[in-house]
Amino acid sequence: MGGGAAIQQVFTHAQRVRLLYKTILKLHRGFPVELKALVLSHFIGDQYTRDEFRRHKNATPEQTQAFMVEWTNYAITIAKQLGVRGAHMSKTFGQNFKVSDLENFNDEQVYQLYELYKASVEADNGNQKES
């Protein structure tokens, strides 16, 4: 029996969602200083995560499945990148989008991605001015 099947049998759906949510919030605590500006701007980080989980409370089963898979993949990616030794040992965070990923985005997701891009550029420009 795989780990995912065991979790599904032990926990209810609501418990699995809550566990994933809390795991992501804990992972965000490990972000490096460079990402703190973006985390504080709420484009990524706790507030964004809260908002996304709230928006999907009344989602269809198909939407919920996709939501859980993507957020689980996010948590796994961040956990691997933070590693046991923490953010100071990691060279990169996140991952690049594939063209096929972008083609599947709806208008709201494209807008959110653009807002994230703007926030990251502004944070980077602010860091360069301080140097």
Side-chain angles (χ1 to χ4, degrees):
M1 182 182 329
I7 287 176
Q8 287 184 355
Q9 290 178 351
V10 174
F11 296 111
T12 66
H13 173 71
Q15 289 171 323
R16 288 191 309 270
V17 171
R18 195 172 300 114
L19 178 63
L20 177 59
Y21 174 71
K22 288 183 178 188
T23 299
I24 291 167
L25 294 182
K26 286 179 186 176
L27 287 167
H28 285 174
R29 294 181 199 154
F31 279 158
V33 174
E34 299 82 42
L35 285 178
K36 295 292 184 189
L38 288 176
V39 171
L40 292 175
S41 72
H42 302 299
F43 284 103
I44 62 173
D46 298 347
Q47 186 62 47
Y48 179 78
T49 303
R50 254 183 233 109
D51 292 346
E52 281 294 299
F53 274 75
R54 281 188 188 131
R55 275 192 279 270
H56 284 81
K57 273 188 174 181
N58 299 319
T60 67
E62 296 82 22
Q63 291 169 329
T64 301
Q65 178 66 25
F67 177 83
M68 292 295 289
V69 166
E70 292 304 321
W71 278 97
T72 300
N73 289 340
Y74 168 77
I76 291 168
T77 299
I78 295 302
K80 285 179 181 177
Q81 291 173 348
L82 285 172
V84 176
R85 296 190 176 154
H88 66 282
M89 299 301 286
S90 181
K91 293 183 175 125
T92 61
F93 279 90
Q95 62 188 36
N96 294 328
F97 285 111
K98 298 177 192 116
V99 173
S100 61
D101 292 336
L102 294 173
E103 290 171 351
N104 292 325
F105 281 13
N106 64 32
D107 291 343
E108 182 180 347
Q109 291 168 321
V110 171
Y111 177 75
Q112 288 175 341
L113 185 60
Y114 176 70
E115 290 296 314
L116 174 61
Y117 166 75
K118 284 185 357 186
S120 68
V121 169
E122 289 171 10
D124 190 42
N125 288 341
N127 288 340
Q128 289 177 357
K129 288 178 184 175
E130 292 174 6
S131 299

